[in-house]
Every structure is written in structure tokens, then in C-alpha cells.
């Protein structure tokens, strides 16, 4: 073989090794997002259903109101003409219940959006895996393959895929806020336990992100670290900010 052929053979072996690691890593991440999103969405849905009754009138209250009116009519204290046809028409949910449910629904929406993104991510990876090989000479195949690999960087594929776990993490935080607020108005001693757990998890996550930004050798790397680095946040910017303050 000539030098050009040996070069493209070496390029193919190196590219296959790199692509194999790339596809395996992202496929595993998408599988984790799908599994966790499915389990978490079921828990979140149960919470929404359990608290959904606070957003609609209680049928027993309507029945009791009608019975009270009938008793008043029987006693002569109320005429049938002045009887309200819809005793529960003046009912409205409390603002607390509304915003708790709003946060819970936002959490569920983010979880489903993360799952949808993971499905798209697996489809994109499958398309890339199927289209990375082409016909032609080794040089033509190598050039097309390199073009597809360069396209991953040009179109920020890694950042887009890394944003799906971040959506799931935000969804988990919103769920913690909603369940803490809901329990706060029911039993504050239990609410403090939930709040302490949420705060501890948030602090732990924040410290892990800061540690990962301080050095690329830190083992606590996560999707949010990659996104923050893309936005220009790293150890240098953090150090300069701390010096200014």
C-alpha cells in the first residue's frame, strides 16, 4: 500500500475507536434519561392527581349545601324562589393550591420534555451510526466520515444532548419545591425534613458543579459543567470574579 492508503486506513481505525466511545457514551446517557424520566414522571403524576382535588369543588360540599337549603325551605326560613341553583358557583381554588400545582405541572412538563429529547437523541445517534459508512474509495469514505464528525462540533451536538439531563435535574428541583410547599401548609414538621433534603441536594449539586469547573481533571464532571464551559464559565472566570468582589 502507498502512503495515502495507509493514512486513510489509520484514519478509519482511529475514527471507529472514537466513534464507538462517542456512541456508547451518549446512548448510555439517553437510556438513563429515559428510565429516570419514566419513573420520575409516574411519581410526579401521582402527586398531581392526589392534589388535583384541591382545584375543583368538593361534590360533598355541594350536596350539603343543597340539603341545607332544602331544610331551610322545609322550616319556612327560605323560599324556593330564592334558592341558589348552583351553591358551589362561588367556589374558587386558593392561590396557594394553584401555584403548587403550577410548579408540579412545570416539573412534569420538563420531565416529559427531557424524555422527548432523549428519544430524539437516540434517533440522531442511530442516523449518524447508519450513515457514517458510504461507498467509494477509502479516501472518499474517510472524507465523508470526517465531514460528519466535524458536523457534530459545528452543530453543537454534544451540548444539545447534554441539555436533556439538565432538564431532568431542573424538573427534580421543581418537584422538590412543589412538594415542600404543599407539605408546608399541611404539616410543617414534615415539610422541614423535605426542605432540608432539597437544600442539601441543591448545595451538593452546586459544589459538584463548582468543583468540576475548577479543573477538567475533576471526576465530578456533569452535563451542566459542559454547558457552563460553552457559555464561558470556567475556573479562570470564577477566579477573576472572586478577586473583583
Amino acid at each position: 500500500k502507498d502512503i495515502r492508503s495507509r493514512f486513510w486506513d489509520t484514519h478509519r481505525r482511529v475514527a471507529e475507536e472514537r466513534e464507538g466511545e462517542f456512541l456508547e457514551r451518549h446512548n448510555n446517557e439517553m437510556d438513563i434519561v429515559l428510565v429516570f424520566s419514566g419513573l420520575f414522571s409516574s411519581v410526579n403524576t401521582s402527586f398531581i392527581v392526589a392534589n388535583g382535588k384541591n382545584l375543583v369543588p368538593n361534590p360533598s360540599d355541594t350536596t350539603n349545601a343543597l340539603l341545607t337549603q332544602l331544610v331551610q325551605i322545609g322550616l319556612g326560613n327560605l323560599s324556593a324562589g330564592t334558592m341558589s341553583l348552583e351553591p358551589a358557583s362561588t367556589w374558587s381554588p386558593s392561590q396557594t393550591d394553584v401555584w403548587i400545582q403550577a410548579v408540579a405541572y412545570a416539573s412534569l412538563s420538563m420531565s416529559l420534555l427531557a424524555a422527548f429529547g432523549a428519544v430524539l437523541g437516540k434517533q440522531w445517534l442511530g442516523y449518524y451510526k447508519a450513515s457514517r459508512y458510504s461507498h467509494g474509495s477509502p479516501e472518499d469514505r474517510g472524507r465523508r466520515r470526517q465531514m460528519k464528525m466535524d458536523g457534530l462540533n459545528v452543530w453543537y451536538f454534544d451540548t444539545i444532548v447534554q441539555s436533556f439531563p439538565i432538564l431532568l435535574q431542573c424538573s427534580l428541583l421543581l418537584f422538590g419545591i412543589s412538594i415542600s410547599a404543599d407539605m408546608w401548609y399541611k404539616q410543617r414538621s414534615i415539610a422541614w425534613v423535605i426542605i432540608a433534603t432539597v437544600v442539601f441536594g441543591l448545595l451538593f449539586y452546586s459544589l459538584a458543579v463548582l468543583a468540576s469547573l475548577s479543573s477538567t481533571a475533576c471526576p465530578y464532571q456533569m452535563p451542566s459543567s459542559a454547558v457552563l464551559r460553552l457559555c464561558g464559565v470556567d475556573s479562570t472566570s470564577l477566579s477573576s470574579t472572586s478577586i473583583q468582589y
Side-chain angles (χ1 to χ4, degrees), residues 199-213 222 228:
V199 172
F200 174 78
L202 183 60
L203 289 176
F204 179 81
Y205 181 82
S206 301
L207 291 175
V209 171
L210 291 176
S212 64
L213 291 175
M222 56 188 68
L228 289 174

Side-chain angles (χ1 to χ4, degrees), residues 135-194:
H135 301 287
S137 64
E139 181 176 353
D140 293 336
R141 293 197 301 268
R143 290 184 182 277
R144 295 192 190 98
R145 191 171 198 160
Q146 186 62 43
M147 180 183 65
K148 292 183 180 296
M149 294 176 66
D150 293 339
L152 296 175
N153 297 324
V154 172
W155 292 96
Y156 299 101
F157 179 84
D158 189 70
T159 304
I160 297 298
V161 173
Q162 294 285 354
S163 65
F164 302 145
I166 296 178
L167 280 175
L168 202 54
Q169 293 162 1
C170 293
S171 174
L172 184 61
L173 176 61
L174 290 177
F175 179 73
I177 294 174
S178 63
I179 195 173
S180 299
D182 179 68
M183 190 56 63
W184 180 262
Y185 295 99
K186 295 178 179 178
Q187 181 55 255
R188 294 197 175 185
S189 58
I190 300 178
W192 278 116
V193 176
I194 301 175

Side-chain angles (χ1 to χ4, degrees), residues 57 61-63 65-66 69 82-91:
D61 293 339
T62 303
T63 302
L66 290 173
Q69 290 181 354
T82 60
M83 180 178 175
S84 175
L85 297 178
E86 296 181 1
S89 60
T90 59
W91 181 91

Side-chain angles (χ1 to χ4, degrees), residues 27-84:
N27 270 312
N28 290 337
E29 289 179 353
M30 295 302 99
D31 289 337
I32 293 173
V33 170
L34 287 173
V35 172
F36 186 83
S37 178
L39 295 175
F40 177 69
S41 296
S42 63
V43 174
N44 202 342
T45 302
S46 300
F47 174 77
I48 291 175
V49 171
N51 288 274
K53 61 181 181 295
N54 297 328
L55 300 180
V56 295
N58 191 343
S60 61
D61 293 339
T62 303
T63 302
N64 294 334
L66 290 173
L67 290 175
T68 301
Q69 290 181 354
L70 290 175
V71 171
Q72 294 295 328
I73 292 175
L75 295 176
N77 297 329
L78 184 67
S79 63
T82 60
M83 180 178 175
S84 175

Side-chain angles (χ1 to χ4, degrees), residues 207-222 225 229 233-236 238-239:
L207 291 175
V209 171
L210 291 176
S212 64
L213 291 175
S214 63
S215 173
T216 55
C218 178
Y220 308 131
Q221 301 297 326
M222 56 188 68
S225 306
R229 286 196 182 93
V233 180
D234 53 14
S235 58
T236 304
L238 292 176
S239 300

Side-chain angles (χ1 to χ4, degrees), residues 91-106:
W91 181 91
S92 62
S94 65
Q95 292 298 319
T96 301
D97 292 330
V98 170
W99 83 261
I100 288 176
Q101 285 291 85
V103 175
Y105 272 105

